[in-house]
Amino acid sequence: MIALLLIPLILPFALPPLARRVVDRVRPEVALWTVTTASVLLAVGVVACLGVLLMPLALAAPPLAGLAHLIQPLDAGPQTLVMAVSVLAGGGLVVACVTAVRKALWEMRRLRAARLDVAGLPDAGGLCVIDDARPDAYALPGGLRTAGRIVVTTGMLRALTPGERGVLLAHERAHLDGRHHLFLAAAQLSAWCHPALAGVTRQVSFAAERAADEAAALVAGDRALAANAVGHAALASTRARTVLPAVAPSAVTGPVPARVKALLAHAPVRHLAPPLLAVVMLTGLAGGSAVAGAVSVHRGVEIAQGELSSD
């Protein structure tokens, strides 16, 4: 049982290198969905396994054992090993929960501050221009009662040609239309559940930028123009940027040289690639191990309740 529940805690370490290969070889929108979904499922498996591993320690307490109607101690393996793993699992679960709550509140404060900065400014079709010499542009997600807005500074507009401005705005519009902030939020939350998944957030961000790049290039009808716009916007914004929440994607973030290279490439990106299949298999293995471990623990609880024979 212990071994089965430990597997989902180890497998997340394999996802970052696989995610990097998926983003490099698979269409951006497919990579975005695949990598984000895998990260979320692995994070859910981690939390679930930590909770199940905590059960032997919890059920060792007489009040909880009575609530669970145990007539004999839960037998999950060598007592010393099981209790040691259970204590570590409890500590890991507490750390994950505290980290997620604390950082989520911090991100919510930053998002609220970013919305307040543009709350009183007029917009045209969701475009809000800020009178600021610092070149910057980003897609600010909306709330329950507010729509998302494209925020761009006058400094950024002056730094680009008219054609490049159109690409930039199309890029940010693609972020809003694709609801990329939800993917970024999901990846960020998963990273707070397991440290290995922190490396996946960069790949999710890169996939979101690549998907927006491709959408902007399609609107412009000129991949070279789109590449120039991305490069010039990134160079202009290197002076000083606004501190933004992680869920506010921007055309000037991520590995810009790799994005420019992808826009200038003429070779089509494959829909499927071996890394994509590897990610699917990794997620399936983690899920299968978690379910098998949970079933094993459930059977042990039933035996401790006297509902089953140990034979």
Side-chain angles (χ1 to χ4, degrees), residues 121-210:
L121 298 178
D123 66 76
L127 172 62
C128 180
V129 179
I130 298 179
D131 187 10
D132 191 336
R134 295 177 300 175
D136 204 358
Y138 53 92
L140 186 62
L144 295 176
R145 299 180 181 178
T146 58
R149 306 175 85 180
I150 298 172
V151 182
V152 60
T153 64
T154 53
M156 179 61 81
L157 293 177
R158 285 194 292 266
L160 303 178
T161 66
E164 291 171 345
R165 292 174 200 157
V167 171
L168 178 72
L169 298 181
H171 177 102
E172 303 301 351
R173 174 58 62 188
H175 278 314
L176 293 178
D177 292 344
R179 297 184 177 273
H180 292 165
H181 60 282
L182 297 180
F183 293 91
L184 297 174
Q188 195 71 256
L189 183 59
S190 300
W192 298 334
C193 296
H194 195 290
L197 298 177
V200 181
T201 58
R202 292 188 292 271
Q203 303 308 320
V204 171
S205 177
F206 181 48
E209 295 304 326
R210 282 283 301 114

